Amino acid sequence: MAAHIRRRLRKGATTTAVAAAAVAALAASQAPAATLADGSAGSGDPKAAGEDTASGETDGAATGNSPYYTDLPPLVTPDKPGSSSNLPAGGRAEAGIPASILAAYKQAERTVATTDPSCRLPWQLLAAIGKVESGQARGGRVDANGTASPRILGPALNGQGFALIKDTDGGAYDGDAVHDRAVGPMQFIPSTWASWGQDANGDGRKDPNNIYDAALAAGRYLCANDRDLALAADLDQAVLSYNRSTEYLRTVRSWFSYYQRGTHEIPDGTGTLPSTPSTPTPSPRPGGGSGSSATPSPSPSPSKPGGKPSPGPSKPGGGGSTSPTPKPPTPKPTPPSETFGSLENAGTGPLRATAGQEFDERVSVLARNAVGAPLAKVPVTFTVTGGTGTLFAGGKKTVTVRTGADGIATAPKLQAGEKTGEFTVTAVAGTGRPRTLTYAATVTARQADAIARTDEKALVAAPGEKFADAVTVKATYKDAAAAGVAVTATMVKDPLGVIDNDKGPYFKDADGKPVRTLTTLTTDADGQLRLPEIFADDNEGTYLLRLTTEGGASTVIKLTVEAPEESAPEEPAPDATETPAATKP
């Protein structure tokens, strides 16, 4: 509520110029206008059609002020349930909106109502802009996913009758690596789409040619700067931020009012396309053409008083004849099929390997052109970054691979280094505006799934003495010797090793002090480990030594501390020369 009150207070400062534009726009929707059947233009002020109108915003126009359709709606009320059934055919046709297009507008309204309810975005405003910008995606010519087919491109914004906007996307969206073009059903220029693009259909891509993505992006763009579109002044500012023209505002307002009075759904591809595009002029205010890929030619310069064109420079020798001024060659944009559009993951799975081992997974990327098809022969540079010592096969940190006919490039296999930890593999492709993908990878410690003593000899020591026999174990992984495996040795009280023991046998540290846990042990190249010497304290008894490895393998070894048995003294042997005692009778 507080935000809503703040909006209303701010509206009190709205300029009279904008208010006047709103009134004019509303009035224009009731002015006489021909239907598309005539092919005649809607009424409007010729002067206003060539003017820029400041909206009080500092952001640029979403469309780059590219051309648009100027046809106005019929005066009759649209044919909606409950209305007269005797409406002219043109009224019914104009009121119809293709099914996918209408669904996208309504979905955008619901989404924005959840994320920005104070904006109060009406779907009819999106429908009005979509009608003026692209004729509802050329009458609903979209595929099953809502993507315009073929894609909708405005003329090159090369300053010749339009705004001058040099390429900002490397041709990724518009197929033009020289100048930008407005793209898609809502005619976003690439630089605006980069900031406002949405993924409304959940396919993982922000595609300006998809009506669901474009409608949501347009809705959020119109709601920017805390606008409340239920207020006339805010709605006017929103429309003018889309295309800074009073004629544009008047035309959008007319369709907005028309759709508010009623509309209905028609099948995709059956909508009518407006017939009267705006006319470009060489003035700073961009004129327009239809939302097509063709670039209209600028209107000729006004003639001088008297009706004759100004003469050009005379040829040498006089005669008054003129020679045409040669036009500079127009740069041809790279065809979309040859323009690098995007770099995507081609199905690379988790990158994880044990130290010193080869990675099972390989990094793979997919290059697409500006229309989304696989792009062949694109050089992709893969680079390993990190301190694990991991390298590509052949000992290289950087390799370059070209995409195949399927647009896929796969890096050589990775060989894990000896140091555990994380590292990255980066894939880069394209020039001017390179596309980059980064993959996280991990090197884990060497593992063993089994560890056991190499002999079964009993380990016994006297109190205060050293165990005479060394303890040697071998670690294996899948029955093969596991080299370089970290092993932890701990004196414990129970077979599971849950409770450490602070009495009985012990190791010695570098200072000769007793320790009962060692964590710096590693198996050799044969997977074997010979433990350091073990000493017994003065406590007799049976004790346990538990060995564990990376990978969860473990074994428990019994150590016995007991005093040696004392042997009984031997009796002297009898003297053989002694005469036996006489026996009694």
Side-chain angles (χ1 to χ4, degrees), residues 26 78 171:
L26 288 171

Side-chain angles (χ1 to χ4, degrees), residues 474-542:
K474 183 175 182 178
T476 56
Y477 183 70
K478 295 181 180 180
D479 297 327
V485 174
V487 179
T488 298
T490 306
M491 301 297 176
V492 295
K493 290 183 178 180
D494 62 300
L496 296 178
V498 176
I499 304 173
D500 293 353
N501 203 339
D502 57 357
K503 294 181 180 180
Y506 60 88
F507 302 103
K508 288 184 179 180
D509 63 13
D511 298 327
K513 295 180 180 179
V515 293
R516 290 184 168 83
T517 298
L518 295 178
T519 59
T520 57
L521 307 173
T522 305
T523 59
D524 62 17
D526 298 323
Q528 293 193 8
L529 169 64
R530 182 186 176 96
L531 295 181
E533 292 180 323
I534 303 175
F535 300 85
D537 62 10
D538 294 334
N539 297 288
E540 294 188 51
T542 299

Side-chain angles (χ1 to χ4, degrees), residues 83-103:
S83 63
S84 169
S85 60
N86 298 319
L87 295 175
R92 287 195 296 270
E94 286 298 342
I97 299 179
S100 294
I101 314 304
L102 183 59

Side-chain angles (χ1 to χ4, degrees), residues 178-397:
V178 179
H179 296 96
D180 273 347
R181 297 169 179 251
V183 182
M186 305 305 280
Q187 289 288 279
F188 278 95
I189 55 173
S191 58
T192 305
W193 184 259
S195 300
W196 293 91
Q198 304 290 317
D199 176 19
N201 63 350
D203 65 355
R205 299 181 64 190
K206 297 177 180 179
D207 184 0
N209 274 291
N210 181 274
I211 185 59
Y212 292 94
D213 294 356
L216 180 57
R220 289 185 166 154
Y221 181 89
L222 293 167
C223 287
N225 301 319
D226 292 328
R227 296 189 186 104
D228 179 355
L229 300 182
L231 302 177
D234 270 17
L235 188 144
D236 289 344
Q237 285 191 341
V239 174
L240 288 169
S241 76
Y242 213 87
N243 193 315
R244 299 185 185 282
S245 162
T246 52
E247 181 191 31
Y248 182 82
L249 172 62
R250 176 178 61 82
T251 307
V252 169
R253 272 286 200 170
S254 298
W255 283 106
F256 176 50
S257 177
Y258 183 73
Y259 287 136
Q260 282 185 313
R261 294 197 297 271
T263 186
H264 58 271
E265 178 185 301
I266 61 175
D268 287 348
T270 63
T272 58
L273 197 64
S275 60
T276 309
S278 58
T279 303
T281 67
S283 64
R285 189 269 183 228
S290 67
S292 66
S293 59
T295 304
S297 300
S299 300
S301 301
S303 60
K304 287 187 176 183
K308 294 183 179 181
S310 301
S314 301
K315 289 184 178 181
S321 62
T322 61
S323 60
T325 303
K327 294 182 179 180
T330 302
K332 294 182 179 180
T334 304
S337 61
E338 300 175 10
T339 301
F340 188 20
S342 64
L343 191 66
E344 304 169 11
N345 186 352
T348 305
L351 296 170
R352 189 179 182 89
T354 302
Q357 302 299 310
E358 194 176 67
F359 281 74
D360 292 331
E361 195 74 19
R362 295 169 68 179
V363 178
S364 186
V365 299
L366 169 63
R368 295 184 185 274
N369 62 18
V371 295
L375 188 60
K377 299 181 180 180
V378 175
V380 182
T381 300
F382 300 91
T383 303
V384 175
T385 304
T388 64
T390 301
L391 299 170
F392 289 112
K396 296 181 179 180
K397 273 194 171 184

Side-chain angles (χ1 to χ4, degrees), residues 531-578:
L531 295 181
E533 292 180 323
I534 303 175
F535 300 85
D537 62 10
D538 294 334
N539 297 288
E540 294 188 51
T542 299
Y543 298 91
L544 301 176
L545 168 62
R546 185 170 186 261
L547 302 177
T548 59
T549 72
E550 287 286 345
S554 67
T555 187
V556 176
I557 300 170
K558 185 170 73 172
L559 302 173
T560 302
V561 179
E562 62 181 12
E565 294 182 2
E566 294 183 3
S567 57
E570 296 182 0
E571 295 184 2
D575 189 352
T577 62
E578 182 178 349

Side-chain angles (χ1 to χ4, degrees), residues 14-181:
T14 305
T15 64
T16 56
V18 175
V23 173
L26 288 171
S29 65
Q30 304 303 320
T35 64
L36 286 178
D38 305 309
S40 57
S43 62
D45 178 4
K47 181 180 179 181
E51 290 179 345
D52 282 335
T53 302
S55 67
E57 306 288 348
T58 58
D59 53 340
T63 65
N65 291 333
S66 57
Y68 53 87
Y69 290 108
T70 58
D71 303 59
L72 294 174
L75 287 176
V76 295
T77 301
D79 189 5
K80 62 180 179 179
S83 63
S84 169
S85 60
N86 298 319
L87 295 175
R92 287 195 296 270
E94 286 298 342
I97 299 179
S100 294
I101 314 304
L102 183 59
Y105 296 150
K106 292 184 175 181
Q107 176 179 297
E109 179 190 61
R110 292 192 299 270
T111 301
V112 173
T114 301
T115 59
D116 188 6
S118 58
C119 174
R120 296 192 282 183
L121 170 74
W123 67 261
Q124 292 91 342
L125 179 59
L126 297 175
I129 291 176
K131 178 71 171 180
V132 174
E133 291 292 349
S134 68
Q136 310 297 20
R138 295 199 190 103
R141 286 161 179 79
V142 296
D143 62 19
N145 296 319
T147 302
S149 180
R151 63 181 181 170
I152 302 171
L153 294 176
L157 299 175
N158 54 15
Q160 299 179 24
F162 309 107
L164 174 60
I165 304 179
K166 294 184 178 180
D167 175 65
T168 60
D169 67 331
Y173 294 120
D174 56 14
D176 191 334
V178 179
H179 296 96
D180 273 347
R181 297 169 179 251

